Amino acid sequence: MDLKETKLSSEPIYQGSFVTINRDKVRLPNGNESQRIVIRHPGAACVLAVTEEGKAVLVRQWRYAADAATLELPAGKLDAGEDPAVCALRELAEETPYRAERVEKLAEFYTAPGFCDEKMYLYLAEGITPTSTRQPDQDEFVETVLLSRQAVQEAIAANQIQDGKTLVGLQYWLLNSK
């Protein structure tokens, strides 16, 4: 079965500093026409970093849209033309007191493909050291939180971690580490 929808036209509804919202007219597989509201996003990278003591490096920050402080993997949007691996390294150093020598890509996935084209790149940090000078963006207020495997399992079970990228990264860690 052909599932492809073909864009016929696109009307910008909103253009922000890094996202745009469009109302697209599409042709459906059955030949009918419909509309789609789409948020266009430059993409983002997140990083799973684990200390020598076996603790996952997370950040707690206020998320206005969720009206809550969330526990998340360090992450941030890609700058124009930026390699996602470079973004992951940068975000770890900006948001936490840790740096990584390198990162290895674990996965890439869409965060909300029903209405947004944001692609998230998940990396595993390697060779991390507590040597960052932490310089969050001016509008970013973050607190570093270190959790053991047991504490991560308990936080997930208690619904204290609700961020999708973080759940993906932490489940990888729980399933693939000793």
Side-chain angles (χ1 to χ4, degrees):
M1 173 187 241
D2 182 14
L3 300 174
K4 184 170 176 61
E5 296 180 4
T6 305
K7 180 168 57 174
L8 301 173
S9 64
S10 186
E11 171 193 356
I13 297 172
Y14 170 80
Q15 291 199 263
S17 60
F18 69 92
V19 297
T20 60
I21 302 174
N22 295 339
R23 179 182 295 114
D24 291 357
K25 187 176 181 181
V26 299
R27 181 164 323 282
L28 301 173
N30 65 3
N32 293 339
E33 293 181 6
S34 189
Q35 290 189 3
R36 301 287 184 250
I37 302 296
V38 181
I39 299 173
R40 302 287 180 196
H41 187 285
C46 63
V47 59
L48 169 62
V50 180
T51 67
E52 285 186 15
E53 298 78 31
K55 295 188 176 184
V57 179
L58 302 172
V59 293
R60 185 183 324 276
Q61 61 186 323
W62 186 261
R63 292 299 195 179
Y64 180 80
D67 194 31
T70 61
L71 268 177
E72 302 179 29
L73 292 177
K77 78 169 187 60
L78 298 174
D79 291 335
E82 185 177 28
D83 179 337
V86 171
C87 179
L89 288 165
R90 174 175 47 81
E91 291 296 329
L92 180 66
E94 281 180 6
E95 294 185 354
T96 77
Y98 295 92
R99 288 194 184 282
E101 291 177 11
R102 63 199 164 283
V103 290
E104 174 190 342
K105 187 164 78 169
L106 299 176
E108 58 185 78
F109 52 92
Y110 290 102
T111 58
F115 61 87
C116 183
D117 69 354
E118 178 186 24
K119 186 174 273 192
M120 179 67 64
Y121 299 85
L122 169 63
Y123 287 88
L124 175 64
E126 297 175 338
I128 74 162
T129 54
T131 57
S132 171
T133 56
R134 268 195 76 207
Q135 294 181 338
D137 295 334
Q138 283 187 321
D139 63 347
E140 189 172 46
F141 302 91
V142 295
E143 169 186 46
T144 302
V145 177
L146 303 178
L147 295 181
S148 67
R149 289 173 49 79
Q150 181 66 34
V152 163
Q153 290 171 328
E154 291 169 3
I156 291 172
N159 208 27
Q160 294 170 347
I161 299 174
Q162 298 182 322
D163 175 64
K165 69 183 177 297
T166 302
L167 290 168
V168 170
L170 292 175
Q171 289 296 345
Y172 173 88
W173 181 50
L174 293 173
L175 293 171
N176 292 291
S177 61
K178 297 157 188 74

